[in-house]
Amino acid sequence: MTSLAQRKKFTMGDAKESLVNFSFILPAVILFSIFYIYPFYDIFRLSLHEWNGIDAQKYYVHFDNFKELFKDGNWWRSMWHAGIITFFALTFQNVMAFALALACDQKIRMKKFYRMIFFIPPVLSEVVVGFIWMWILNGDMQSGEYIGILNYLLDKMGLHHLITSWLSNPDTVLTCIALVHCWKGFGWGFIMLFAGLQTIDAQLYEAARVDGANSWQIFKNITIPMMVPVILVVIFLTVLGSMQVFVLIKAMVGQGLQDYTSVPVSEIFESMIGLKRFGYACAQGVSFGVTLITISLVFKLLSTKVKQY
Amino acid sequence: MKKIASILSFLCLIALCFVFVSCSQQEKDPDRVVLWHWMNDRHEALETLAARYQKETGVKVKIDLFSPPHAYTQRITATAQTRDLPDIFGILDKKEIFAAYIKNGFVADLTEEYKKDNAAWEKSLFTKALDVNRFAEDNIYGVKPGVYGVPLDVTNIQIIYNKRLLKKAGISRPPETFDEFLEATKALNRVGVAGLVSGWGEMWLIESFALNYAFNIMGEEKVMATFRGQVPYTDPDWIKVFEIFDTLSEQGALVDGIVIKQNKIAEQDFALERAAFAFNGSWCVNVYHGMNADLEYGVILPPPVNPDRPMKIWGGSGSSLVVNKASPSKDKAIAFLRWLTAKDQQAYLSQETKNLPANKDALSEIPQILSDFAGVMDHTTHPTLWKYNELAKVASEFNKAIQSIIVGDLTPQEAAAKVQSIKMAEMEKEKRRQQRRER
Amino acid sequence: MAINKYRAMKVSKGFSIHLLLGLVAFTCIFPLFWMLRCSFMTLETVFTDKSIIPTAFHFGNFIKVLTEEKFGIYFMNSVIYTASVVSAIVIIASLAAYSFSRLRFPGKNFFFYMFVAAMMIPLPGSFVPLYVLINKLNLVNTRIGYILCMTNVGLSMSILLLKTFFDKMNTDLEDAARIDGCGKLGIWWHVALPLARPAIAVIVIFNALNVWNEFILAQLLLTDTRLMPLQKALMEFQGAHSVDYPVLMAGLTLAAMPIILLYLAMQKHIVKGFSYGATAG
């Protein structure tokens, strides 16, 4: 009965308006349907098959690939590694990005210069970033001198106990990669947050100041609440970007120490290009996607709670 | 805003013009041969040769490069699905996948072509290089016996030593046994020089080094038996293989960050005299020359652990090309490859790219260090020549386990046990796969 | 006394802010400097010359890159792809995001979450289906096929970001425009877009960088050299075994420049202070 009542309210005019409104998203939907739906359908279909990528014959295996994946230690380890990198990105990278965005929003000298500089790392290719950090973190020696800048400085400062071969030590390699990833990525958070700060009405600040609020109160009561949506997007994109990190790791350590540096995308590549198990690789892709969607749903629920308070 | 909008729309307009101008699809020209490859160091030389070929015969050969190799592999895999592979291409995968390409009718059988004119073509090339493309009488892949590819060049992987650094450490001649090698690295370390560098951040170089010694310690038969699943990796001989890496690492014979070095970086280290030994392929001649023209170096076989058995090293065809079976210009493609592997073209390729030629006659015109490399072609072997290969997953875990030994995270015994347990699991899976195929 | 203390605090606060900013800025600018330094060296000196500023400037690498016949073609191609993809994304994504944020229609949430969910399935798994699809559409080895694919890649993220900014924006101006009799499309173009300028600038940079640095998909969908983007040229400089580092660095520097310039052009739109009304009329 209620639905009927609702339907009655839905007049021709409403229908026409809905249609007009829908036409706004139509180009995006068309593009999406063509270029996503078929590949996604195909990936899902392949994930139920055993296929080497060449044969005409694909063997239907039900959910065997998923069952195998569930027990695959390498896969879960790669998820764990990506999780660690994401943790670093969420804390270290985002705090740094926000702090720098706030600093650049103040009336300080040379802020134009800083704004320009902070965006250089994201622009650089992973090849260059990889080269440079490999050189900084190099643990080798030549004629009694350390080649890597970091070890060289530690040596000169007398901190010998800290010297290690940063990228070939299983205990430090993942942390180093995570920090370089943060360094490379903070520029994105920086400009998004900075753009967000720019859209806050300056009158709000002035009004607060007239009311006698100090900097911390302004920050807590105006900046943060106004920035919550942007911060949430930045967090969301950080999680997505960090979970899918791959090229940077490849540039820094190649296939080295995979047991300590593998991430989901590298595992998918390995299954597909290295082991030629396309069905399994697709199963990995699907379950990775499902995991990310679950994380974001949880995140979404949490953030609605946060917004309510 | 107006300004940006107008600039953007202007750019759009230009872009759209270009888009539609280039939209006209080019037709398939039966007089044209299309070649796809991944060798960015040889692209220019191949294009020069293609231009020369067009002048001589009037046949246009279009050379398209896709790099890095994984991008190339994606392209080939995808085009195989839509059945529009080019006339000539290469397969970068293991023999099993090569066999799959053949069984699905993507690759032409060239056996007859090689046999023509009293087998003139076959005789002009190194047998080892051809063998990489050969499927033997009783191959386990179920492929019709024959030769299916054309080798462009040959290569092998050996130990390269820096003459100046060895002299500095007071070593008069390069090591001949594994113990001498260890002694030499200790002497080098004493004068502040690192021992061995290699691209062990790339799996295949570790695998090559490890299997060289596996062949040396237990002989080919036992290695093959391991691949078949009849000898476990926990066998004392295999433990010895794993122990080699433990010893090398313990004794400081390896450059510190060897497990994360990609070969490019390892080559740089050797060229800059940061290490006295390198484990690298014959292509390095070109690389070292580019980075340090004054480098004095020689080449030796990896020093054996077991002196009673001759050392076997990896080698054979460096890169091979195959002909598309379904191509309308198949004969033209074969004619081009025949021309490409003839003496003059091989000599040109070898000079330009410093790779060893696949054509025996072209060998007389190459530098001394390259012929040193070529001198041990009899010692070479390669996974593509073996009757059995290890399962891909096991091979990859084997290499990872060795990396873990080098960084001191696993003992040889632990590594062996780990690899063996994966081997058992994978054999079980393979059995199931086999049953599925038969059903 | 109190004033002095206050001033001292202010100075030290300013100093510590600058110390932090300066330190971060140094690490950011260092790679660019290193790239430039290497590109002025020769293959012989690049590994041996330890001085911070090269002893001899060598412009040959840049000349070598710029006179490379294909570099020009590749460069033009990248400009075409980047301009097309970015304009397409800005228009399509802002239309969609505006609609998601302001307008009402059934299934709105479903479609929005569909776009967001699409970001989470990694692309490496999909190259075979994607190629088969493009082949069926007869778009292999055409610019338009590549442009459409790249547009699709950037769409989800752009919609999400733009919607966030639209949600946050004040609707007063739009209401005023509606009362003035402006249509929905008119409001989107004349009011919403100019107001969302900082967000659009971010999207332009994000997508431009994405397209500019892409080469795997290009090589999957394109065959002809004359259609290839700039990154292909850089891949060619990195030979399989031999690498001419100075030339590679010169190429990388030249390739990074347009994006840095674009960022400079865009970042002033991120900053407030422009009068919004200028384009509204």
Side-chain angles (χ1 to χ4, degrees):
Chain A
M1 279 311 278
T2 43
S3 70
L4 196 71
Q6 275 172 356
R7 209 168 293 159
K8 259 186 191 165
K9 270 190 231 157
F10 198 74
T11 59
M12 266 317 275
D14 286 341
K16 204 182 144 211
E17 198 189 312
S18 290
L19 216 61
V20 171
N21 293 347
F22 184 75
S23 68
F24 274 71
I25 68 163
L26 198 61
V29 170
I30 291 172
L31 214 63
F32 183 88
S33 326
I34 297 174
F35 290 100
Y36 266 132
I37 294 192
Y38 172 71
F40 280 174
Y41 161 74
D42 214 44
I43 286 178
F44 185 70
R45 198 173 51 93
L46 271 178
S47 71
L48 305 176
H49 289 78
E50 176 80 44
W51 184 47
N52 69 0
I54 296 122
D55 287 348
Q57 175 79 41
K58 299 174 180 120
Y59 300 93
Y60 182 69
V61 296
H62 306 280
F63 287 96
D64 279 8
N65 284 328
F66 288 94
K67 279 180 213 157
E68 189 186 336
L69 183 64
F70 199 72
K71 287 181 285 186
D72 185 345
N74 284 358
W75 173 253
W76 293 110
R77 187 164 45 206
S78 73
M79 283 287 218
W80 169 244
H81 294 154
I84 290 176
I85 295 175
T86 307
F87 174 76
F88 270 95
L90 279 178
T91 50
F92 185 64
Q93 173 186 329
N94 283 350
V95 167
M96 186 157 96
F98 197 38
L100 295 175
L102 279 174
C104 282
D105 195 39
Q106 308 290 313
K107 287 196 181 81
I108 58 162
R109 251 174 284 164
M110 302 208 304
K111 66 177 177 181
K112 269 190 188 159
F113 169 76
Y114 289 131
R115 234 163 37 214
M116 191 181 94
I117 299 300
F118 291 156
F119 200 63
I120 289 174
V123 174
L124 296 177
S125 86
E126 269 90 359
V127 181
V128 178
V129 173
F131 272 146
I132 289 174
W133 284 95
M134 261 193 293
W135 171 42
I136 293 175
L137 301 170
N138 193 330
D140 298 342
M141 293 175 88
Q142 184 171 26
S143 329
E145 292 266 352
Y146 285 98
I147 297 169
I149 300 175
L150 183 58
N151 277 352
Y152 181 84
L153 289 179
L154 289 174
D155 185 41
K156 287 282 174 281
M157 288 192 288
L159 300 165
H160 300 283
H161 56 286
L162 289 178
I163 290 175
T164 178
S165 40
W166 298 96
L167 288 176
S168 52
N169 181 343
D171 300 331
T172 53
V173 57
L174 195 64
T175 314
C176 288
I177 288 173
L179 291 177
V180 174
H181 172 74
C182 292
W183 173 82
K184 175 123 173 66
F186 86 90
W188 284 117
F190 170 78
I191 59 165
M192 276 183 238
L193 292 166
F194 186 70
L197 287 173
Q198 300 306 304
T199 55
I200 297 176
D201 203 332
Q203 288 172 351
L204 280 175
Y205 288 127
E206 261 149 51
R209 220 163 271 135
V210 168
D211 289 347
N214 63 28
S215 312
W216 171 246
Q217 282 167 330
I218 291 176
F219 176 72
K220 204 182 81 179
N221 296 325
I222 296 177
T223 315
I224 291 286
M226 291 300 282
M227 287 296 284
V228 163
V230 182
I231 292 173
L232 290 179
V233 169
V234 169
I235 289 177
F236 179 72
L237 292 178
T238 312
V239 172
L240 277 191
S242 309
M243 288 300 284
Q244 301 193 27
V245 61
F246 167 60
V247 187
L248 183 69
I249 298 182
K250 187 103 182 126
M252 283 175 74
V253 297
Q255 295 174 311
L257 294 181
Q258 269 182 26
D259 281 348
Y260 315 92
T261 62
S262 64
V263 284
V265 179
S266 72
E267 287 290 308
I268 294 174
F269 257 106
E270 167 78 5
S271 303
M272 191 170 277
I273 309 284
L275 306 179
K276 292 284 164 185
R277 296 189 61 197
F278 277 70
Y280 193 61
C282 288
Q284 287 176 320
V286 169
S287 52
F288 183 56
V290 170
T291 314
L292 285 185
I293 289 171
T294 316
I295 294 174
S296 7
L297 280 180
V298 172
F299 178 70
K300 166 90 190 145
L301 284 176
L302 283 178
S303 63
T304 354
K305 281 262 164 68
V306 170
K307 268 186 215 165
Q308 276 167 359
Y309 287 117
Chain B
M1 193 63 201
K2 253 187 191 151
K3 212 164 113 197
I4 314 178
S6 59
I7 291 172
L8 268 184
S9 45
F10 179 68
L11 277 175
C12 268
L13 210 69
I14 297 177
L16 278 180
C17 288
F18 270 100
V19 167
F20 286 110
V21 165
S22 68
C23 225
S24 55
Q25 289 258 344
Q26 72 272 54
E27 281 156 36
K28 281 223 165 132
D29 182 356
D31 250 0
R32 198 176 63 159
V33 175
V34 178
L35 184 156
W36 287 1
H37 75 103
W38 64 96
M39 304 168 277
N40 39 11
D41 58 330
R42 268 161 276 189
H43 187 59
E44 261 175 54
L46 284 174
E47 278 194 324
T48 315
L49 285 173
R52 207 182 283 172
Y53 189 67
Q54 188 175 12
K55 219 179 261 170
E56 282 177 25
T57 64
V59 177
K60 174 152 177 52
V61 182
K62 188 167 168 279
I63 313 265
D64 288 323
L65 164 71
F66 301 89
S67 78
H70 73 88
Y72 173 81
T73 303
Q74 288 189 8
R75 178 70 193 229
I76 290 287
T77 314
T79 38
Q81 287 311 298
T82 55
R83 304 232 151 221
D84 45 20
L85 283 164
D87 306 311
I88 302 173
F89 60 101
I91 297 162
L92 289 177
D93 283 294
K94 297 176 301 290
K95 199 114 179 184
E96 187 191 338
I97 299 300
F98 190 6
Y101 273 94
I102 296 170
K103 283 192 279 187
N104 284 282
F106 294 122
V107 178
D109 184 351
L110 300 176
T111 321
E112 288 304 312
E113 293 293 330
Y114 278 116
K115 291 275 176 269
K116 270 184 195 168
D117 302 323
N118 223 349
W121 192 10
E122 183 170 356
K123 278 178 196 158
S124 71
L125 304 176
F126 277 108
T127 319
K128 281 273 163 60
L130 271 179
D131 285 351
V132 169
N133 299 296
R134 190 190 303 276
F135 282 82
E137 279 300 328
D138 50 349
N139 67 76
I140 56 167
Y141 309 105
V143 170
K144 184 178 159 246
V147 186
Y148 290 87
V150 181
L152 264 195
D153 46 44
V154 295
T155 180
N156 61 58
I157 309 173
Q158 300 186 48
I159 298 245
I160 298 136
Y161 63 94
N162 183 318
K163 290 182 178 166
R164 204 182 64 80
L165 291 179
L166 248 57
K167 206 180 283 167
K168 187 177 161 192
I171 303 161
S172 52
R173 60 174 179 81
E176 276 161 16
T177 66
F178 189 70
D179 290 329
E180 277 181 31
F181 177 75
L182 285 178
E183 286 307 316
T185 55
K186 268 182 212 150
L188 285 161
N189 284 352
R190 278 195 291 273
V191 292
V193 177
L196 177 73
V197 69
S198 183
W200 287 357
E202 294 178 31
M203 294 295 187
W204 61 282
L205 272 168
I206 298 188
E207 191 174 341
S208 162
F209 193 85
L211 292 183
N212 285 347
Y213 281 100
F215 271 55
N216 179 247
I217 289 169
M218 66 189 88
E220 179 166 351
E221 265 319 300
K222 198 165 176 184
V223 176
M224 292 302 128
T226 314
F227 291 169
R228 283 197 304 270
Q230 289 155 350
V231 172
Y233 279 100
T234 42
D235 187 274
D237 278 349
W238 277 104
I239 302 274
K240 262 189 223 166
V241 174
F242 286 116
E243 272 168 355
I244 285 178
F245 292 94
D246 195 38
T247 317
L248 284 173
S249 169
E250 287 272 288
Q251 311 258 346
L254 303 173
V255 159
D256 205 39
I258 194 164
V259 288
I260 53 151
K261 289 214 192 282
Q262 295 163 63
N263 205 27
K264 277 193 269 192
I265 311 286
E267 283 165 348
Q268 199 176 307
D269 282 347
F270 185 76
L272 300 181
E273 309 201 309
R274 286 173 184 168
F277 293 101
F279 179 67
N280 204 355
S282 41
W283 57 81
C284 67
V285 175
N286 196 19
V287 183
Y288 297 153
H289 181 79
M291 287 196 254
N292 183 356
D294 304 328
L295 195 68
E296 280 181 58
Y297 58 99
V299 48
I300 49 168
L301 288 175
V305 171
N306 176 359
D308 303 331
R309 211 178 262 124
M311 202 67 198
K312 283 269 184 188
I313 52 166
W314 278 22
S317 168
S319 354
S320 291
L321 295 171
V322 299
V323 175
N324 184 353
K325 195 178 177 183
S327 153
S329 36
K330 194 170 109 185
D331 294 335
K332 289 201 177 70
I334 294 171
F336 174 69
L337 287 178
R338 194 194 293 269
W339 179 83
L340 197 62
T341 47
K343 187 186 168 198
D344 291 348
Q345 286 65 254
Q346 283 283 300
Y348 174 80
L349 263 179
S350 177
Q351 264 151 24
E352 285 296 302
T353 65
K354 304 280 196 301
N355 280 292
L356 285 168
N359 188 310
K360 290 181 227 165
D361 304 328
L363 211 54
S364 53
E365 303 177 15
I366 57 171
Q368 176 60 37
I369 184 77
L370 269 182
S371 30
D372 287 352
F373 264 106
V376 295
M377 281 311 278
D378 294 341
H379 283 268
T380 59
T381 180
H382 194 261
T384 51
L385 308 177
W386 305 337
K387 207 170 159 197
Y388 301 95
N389 278 149
E390 186 51 284
L391 298 164
K393 172 90 176 168
V394 181
S396 139
E397 292 296 330
F398 177 79
N399 300 331
K400 284 191 207 166
I402 289 176
Q403 288 184 342
S404 297
I405 294 175
I406 295 173
V407 295
D409 219 34
L410 286 182
T411 65
Q413 285 75 13
E414 284 166 353
K418 190 180 166 203
V419 175
Q420 182 57 22
S421 75
I422 287 157
K423 171 82 178 168
M424 304 289 273
E426 284 299 307
M427 288 211 319
E428 199 55 44
K429 272 187 226 161
E430 187 60 26
K431 212 188 281 167
R432 251 183 289 144
R433 244 172 261 156
Q434 208 71 43
Q435 285 166 357
R436 208 176 285 137
R437 255 173 242 145
E438 278 153 18
R439 239 186 282 138
Chain C
M1 190 64 194
I3 293 168
N4 269 349
K5 198 178 157 195
Y6 180 70
R7 270 187 59 187
M9 249 179 77
K10 211 173 167 189
V11 166
S12 70
K13 191 180 147 204
F15 179 74
S16 52
I17 286 181
H18 274 287
L19 191 72
L20 174 76
L21 291 175
L23 215 65
V24 179
F26 173 75
T27 67
C28 292
I29 205 162
F30 177 72
L32 196 68
F33 167 75
W34 185 78
M35 238 160 82
L36 261 176
R37 168 184 173 273
C38 289
S39 56
F40 283 117
M41 295 174 138
T42 63
L43 192 52
E44 286 81 46
T45 56
V46 71
F47 296 118
T48 46
D49 191 347
K50 293 257 156 59
S51 51
I52 293 172
I53 292 172
T55 38
F57 280 89
H58 176 80
F59 291 90
N61 302 315
F62 286 98
I63 294 167
K64 200 168 163 190
V65 171
L66 288 171
T67 51
E68 175 87 22
E69 172 200 7
K70 281 181 236 150
F71 194 84
I73 304 175
Y74 290 154
F75 194 90
M76 268 316 290
N77 285 334
S78 270
V79 171
I80 293 170
Y81 294 139
T82 309
S84 319
V85 172
V86 168
S87 358
I89 287 180
V90 166
I91 291 170
I92 297 174
S94 65
L95 268 176
Y98 181 71
S99 180
F100 283 133
S101 172
R102 294 284 197 272
L103 307 177
R104 275 182 30 194
F105 55 91
K108 185 166 114 171
N109 279 335
F110 167 78
F111 282 108
F112 180 66
Y113 288 117
M114 181 180 83
F115 281 111
V116 176
M119 281 196 280
M120 295 175 221
I121 302 207
L123 209 64
S126 67
F127 74 91
V128 172
L130 196 64
Y131 182 83
V132 171
L133 173 76
I134 298 291
N135 193 54
K136 274 183 189 149
L137 295 172
N138 224 348
L139 289 177
V140 172
N141 202 21
T142 59
R143 287 183 205 274
I144 190 85
Y146 180 59
I147 290 173
L148 288 175
C149 273
M150 284 311 289
T151 306
N152 190 48
V153 167
L155 210 51
S156 291
M157 186 270 178
S158 310
I159 290 177
L160 174 68
L161 194 71
L162 274 174
K163 181 183 181 285
T164 312
F165 272 80
F166 279 135
D167 281 348
K168 203 163 145 314
M169 256 157 44
N170 210 319
T171 54
D172 293 352
L173 269 176
E174 289 168 49
D175 294 339
R178 194 171 303 117
I179 290 160
D180 286 351
C182 201
K184 279 173 190 157
L185 211 59
I187 297 176
W188 164 74
W189 178 253
H190 291 299
V191 185
L193 273 190
L195 280 178
R197 192 165 42 193
I200 287 175
V202 172
I203 283 174
V204 167
I205 299 163
F206 183 85
N207 288 297
L209 185 61
N210 214 4
V211 183
W212 194 259
N213 285 344
E214 207 289 325
F215 62 95
I216 300 284
L217 196 62
Q219 292 190 88
L220 184 68
L221 301 179
L222 305 170
T223 315
D224 280 349
T225 307
R226 61 195 174 87
L227 299 181
M228 287 290 180
L230 186 63
Q231 294 298 321
K232 176 78 188 293
L234 299 178
M235 289 315 298
E236 283 176 30
F237 288 138
Q238 304 176 49
H241 303 302
S242 57
V243 182
D244 190 341
Y245 286 95
V247 173
L248 176 65
M249 288 303 154
L252 285 168
T253 311
L254 287 173
M257 279 308 149
I259 292 292
I260 294 179
L261 289 179
L262 180 76
Y263 172 67
L264 291 185
M266 281 298 139
Q267 71 148 342
K268 61 172 185 270
H269 296 288
I270 298 177
V271 185
K272 63 187 155 197
F274 275 78
S275 56
Y276 290 146
T279 50

